[in-house]
């Protein structure tokens, strides 16, 4: 029996049992489609979980806050205020740095300030850290570079920070496209004067000149933040406090 005879016999048998053949083909189609769907769902869920983990930041970064402040009182079966609270000072930071497997340690200082670029300005959340620890703390730079230990007047800007013309009203700002500012090649400054660029600007407040060396992604938790050396942010805060007094 040659191959042609075998194929003819197989086709005749399939035709004689048309219902069984149809059910078998249907079962194979449904089974294959189910496997494809389940695999696709699994791949999609894995990508979704990975995206969520990326938005959370590095899982190896630990935030440390002062302990104390409240304690449990057995007599009253409630929480009460303690007299002593542990302090996070330079000594505590150095102790953390000496711990095994610790790659980098940095105090963190935050403030809400304004970034200037010529006649434009942008409001953003400023985070001051030890510049050499930026990469180890999980901050990822999309364009340019991260801060280094030698930086003092350098900043890294989130891609979501938008500039605007302060002379325009809120309605005109919302109705128009934000100006495109090449932050990596623009002369920038940091100020706490919310009236910068307008007739009400305080001439005694001079923006602190800074250079943008890197840019972070607009997505994620750091899209609307500006990272700068903590010592420089401390200086700006002291100048602001002196001005307020």
């Amino acid at each position: 029996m040659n191959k042609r005879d075998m194929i003819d016999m197989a086709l005749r048998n399939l035709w004689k049992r048309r219902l069984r053949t149809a059910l078998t083909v249907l079962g194979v189609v449904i089974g294959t489609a189910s496997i494809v769907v389940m695999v696709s769902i699994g791949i999609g869920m894995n990508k979704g979980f990975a995206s969520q983990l990326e938005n959370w930041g590095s899982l190896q970064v630990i935030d440390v806050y002062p302990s104390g402040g409240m304690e449990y009182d057995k007599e009253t079966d409630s929480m009460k205020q303690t007299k002593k609270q542990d302090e996070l000072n330079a000594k505590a930071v150095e102790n953390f740095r000496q711990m095994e497997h610790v790659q980098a340690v940095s105090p963190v200082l935050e403030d809400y300030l304004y970034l200037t670029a010529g006649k434009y300005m942008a409001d953003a959340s400023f985070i001051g850290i030890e510049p050499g620890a930026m990469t180890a703390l999980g901050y990822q730079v999309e364009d340019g570079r991260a801060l280094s230990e030698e930086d003092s007047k350098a900043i890294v800007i989130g891609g979501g920070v938008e500039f605007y013309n302060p002379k325009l009203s809120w309605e005109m700002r919302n109705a128009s496209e934000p100006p495109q500012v090449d932050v990596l090649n623009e002369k920038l400054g940091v100020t706490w004067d919310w009236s910068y660029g307008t007739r009400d600007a305080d001439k005694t407040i001079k923006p602190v000149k800074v250079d943008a060396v890197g840019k972070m992604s607009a997505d994620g938790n750091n899209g609307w933040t500006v990272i700068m050396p903590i010592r420089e942010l401390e200086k700006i805060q002291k100048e602001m406090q002196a001005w307020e007094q």
Side-chain angles (χ1 to χ4, degrees):
M1 183 179 293
N2 55 32
K3 293 182 179 180
R4 184 175 181 179
D5 294 335
M6 295 176 64
I7 294 174
D8 289 340
M9 183 176 66
L11 292 175
R12 286 195 302 268
N13 290 333
L14 291 175
W15 181 251
K16 290 179 180 179
R17 297 171 176 81
R18 294 187 293 274
L19 181 58
R20 179 180 295 178
T21 302
L23 292 175
T24 302
V25 172
L26 182 61
V28 172
V29 171
I30 293 176
T32 304
S34 300
I35 294 174
V36 171
V37 171
M38 288 188 292
V39 171
S40 300
I41 292 176
I43 295 175
M45 292 178 66
N46 287 336
K47 289 185 176 180
F49 291 148
S51 177
Q52 288 182 357
L53 291 176
E54 289 178 358
N55 291 334
W56 289 346
S58 176
L59 297 180
Q60 296 178 327
V61 177
I62 301 175
D63 295 329
V64 180
Y65 301 94
S67 63
M70 301 292 293
E71 68 177 2
Y72 178 71
D73 188 356
K74 295 182 179 179
E75 296 180 359
T76 60
D77 191 24
S78 62
M79 302 297 292
K80 70 175 184 179
Q81 190 77 24
T82 60
K83 296 181 179 180
K84 183 179 179 180
Q85 184 173 3
D86 293 337
E87 183 180 359
L88 281 177
N89 49 26
K91 182 179 179 180
V93 172
E94 186 60 29
N95 290 336
F96 291 137
R97 188 175 284 112
Q98 299 301 324
M99 289 182 179
E100 189 178 3
H101 305 305
V102 173
Q103 296 182 3
V105 177
S106 172
V108 177
L109 186 64
E110 297 186 26
D111 209 330
Y112 198 81
L113 300 169
Y114 299 92
L115 198 62
T116 67
K119 65 178 181 179
Y120 301 120
M121 66 183 301
D123 50 298
S125 175
F126 282 70
I127 299 178
I129 61 173
E130 293 290 349
M134 181 175 177
T135 302
L137 293 179
Y139 295 102
Q140 297 182 354
V141 178
E142 192 175 63
D143 191 12
R145 64 173 178 83
L147 297 178
S148 64
E149 294 181 358
E150 294 76 20
D151 290 324
S152 60
K153 297 285 187 179
I155 61 173
V156 175
I157 304 176
V161 176
E162 292 186 350
F163 287 82
Y164 58 88
N165 189 341
K167 295 182 179 180
L168 299 179
S169 64
W170 288 105
E171 291 79 7
M172 295 182 66
R173 294 177 197 172
N174 294 330
S176 59
E177 291 292 329
Q180 299 300 316
V181 178
D182 185 5
V183 293
L184 297 182
N185 297 299
E186 185 73 30
K187 294 181 179 179
L188 304 176
V190 178
T191 183
W192 60 89
D193 183 11
W194 65 275
S195 298
Y196 171 86
T198 68
R199 294 181 300 176
D200 300 325
D202 191 333
K203 303 299 182 180
T204 64
I205 303 176
K206 303 297 182 181
V208 179
K209 296 181 180 180
V210 293
D211 295 320
V213 297
K215 192 173 181 180
M216 297 179 291
S217 172
D219 302 325
N221 298 329
N222 302 310
W224 293 269
T225 60
V226 176
I227 311 299
M228 69 185 309
I230 188 171
R231 301 292 178 265
E232 190 61 33
L233 184 54
E234 287 175 343
K235 292 180 181 178
I236 294 175
Q237 287 185 335
K238 289 180 179 179
E239 293 180 5
M240 180 171 58
Q241 292 172 0
W243 172 83
E244 291 174 347
Q245 293 176 357

